[in-house]
Every structure is written in structure tokens, then in C-alpha cells.
Amino acid sequence: MDIGEQVAAYQREFPTVDPQVETIVSTLSRLARRMSVAYGRQLTDLGIGSADWEVLKALIVAGSPYRLGPGELAKRLGLTPAAMTHRIDRMAAADLVTRSRDESNRVRVIIELTELGREKWLESMRMAAVFEEDVLQDASTEERAVLAGQLGRMLRRVEQHQPDALGRCDDLD
């Protein structure tokens, strides 16, 4: 069913619905789902999953030397320590990260991005950039700036008025 048909059905059942608002929201929702699927396929082609990518991204965002403790990683990703340990085990076995003891505090464990992990992350970004440029090919630089501003305001409004909607959103940036 295309979005126009969907909105017409909404109007039939709920006559006071604003068709313009519903068209925008339905389009954004469908676009987000389709883009998520496309990103997932790209990651699969690289031999990693979205869960791995989240960890790689968290380490990249932390900055050089791309290290974090497992507790900090778990917190940033909204995971339990056990789930984070499982993820780190899998990623260490794939040589995406290393696990070592902090020399200044032997109790503390450090998770560090490997060169392979960094290359996988960079390649995923290259692939995403090509895909995203294709998605936005019909929008001029000015239109992109307007769209970015409008979407940013919409996101802030949801985050301000629905604070429980934040959930694990810190890792989505």
C-alpha cells in the first residue's frame, strides 16, 4: 500500500486526521525502516552486524586511542554488563577489538579498537556515504540545509516532550 492509500484509510476511519502531517510522519517512518534495512545489508557485506558497528562507533567517537572500559561501553550502548561481555567476546574473536588489562590499574579492563575494526568502520561509512548521497541526490544544498534544520527541530521536540523516548538513542547519532 502506498502512503497516499494509507493516509486515505486513516482519513476514512479518523476524519479529523491532518493528511499532510500523516503523510510526512508515515514517509519518515517508512524511510527510516528502509534505510535501516539497507545499512544492515551493507554491514552484512562487510561481515559485521549492527551490534558490532555500534561498538566500533562508540570506540571511534571516544577518540584516539579508541579505548573504553566495558562498563562505559555498556552504558553508552544501553546494554547490561553480561550482554556487553558477550558482544566483546565475539568481536575480540573476530579481531575487531582487543581486551587487555589497564597497566595502571590491573583490575580494570580496556577494550581497544583494532586496525581491522577501524577499517570495517571506515568502509561502512564509505558505503553509507554513497547510499546517503544517492538518497538525497534530488535535494539541493539549500534544500538539504532546510531539511536538516526541520528534522533536527522535530527530533528535539520529541526528545523534550517524550523523554522516555530517548531509550538507547545516544548510540544512534
Side-chain angles (χ1 to χ4, degrees), residues 6-169:
Q6 178 180 315
V7 171
Y10 289 175
Q11 285 181 288
R12 181 188 68 234
E13 300 301 321
F14 184 55
T16 59
V17 71
D18 183 328
Q20 197 171 40
V21 169
E22 287 306 315
T23 298
I24 292 166
V25 172
S26 295
T27 302
L28 285 171
S29 178
R30 191 174 292 184
L31 178 62
R33 287 192 312 269
R34 301 293 193 274
M35 289 179 74
S36 181
V37 168
Y39 291 136
R41 285 185 184 130
Q42 290 177 343
L43 293 175
T44 297
D45 290 346
L46 291 173
I48 61 175
S50 60
D52 300 332
W53 190 87
E54 289 177 2
V55 174
L56 298 176
K57 181 188 76 168
L59 292 166
I60 290 287
V61 169
S64 185
Y66 313 114
R67 296 179 189 156
L68 289 171
E72 179 62 23
L73 271 171
K75 180 180 173 187
R76 289 182 184 207
L77 299 179
L79 298 173
T80 65
M84 191 74 251
T85 297
H86 177 70
R87 196 173 289 189
I88 291 167
D89 288 346
R90 187 182 69 248
M91 293 180 72
D95 194 35
L96 299 171
V97 299
T98 60
R99 177 191 287 126
S100 61
R101 294 275 175 208
D102 184 342
E103 291 302 320
S104 64
N105 177 353
R106 299 292 296 161
V107 175
R108 187 168 184 252
V109 173
I110 299 292
I111 308 305
E112 185 171 355
L113 187 65
T114 63
E115 188 56 39
L116 177 62
R118 182 170 164 71
E119 282 304 314
K120 294 276 187 178
W121 183 84
L122 285 170
E123 185 57 25
S124 75
M125 293 301 290
R126 287 182 198 106
M127 293 168 77
V130 170
F131 170 67
E132 292 158 0
E133 185 60 39
D134 184 58
V135 169
L136 291 167
Q137 69 179 320
D138 297 326
S140 69
T141 302
E142 295 79 21
E143 290 170 324
R144 291 177 187 198
V146 169
L147 182 59
Q150 291 171 332
L151 292 173
R153 287 189 299 278
M154 290 169 62
L155 177 60
R156 283 190 297 281
R157 181 159 293 122
V158 169
E159 290 174 348
Q160 288 169 355
H161 297 290
Q162 303 290 326
D164 60 325
L166 287 173
R168 293 184 48 227
C169 291

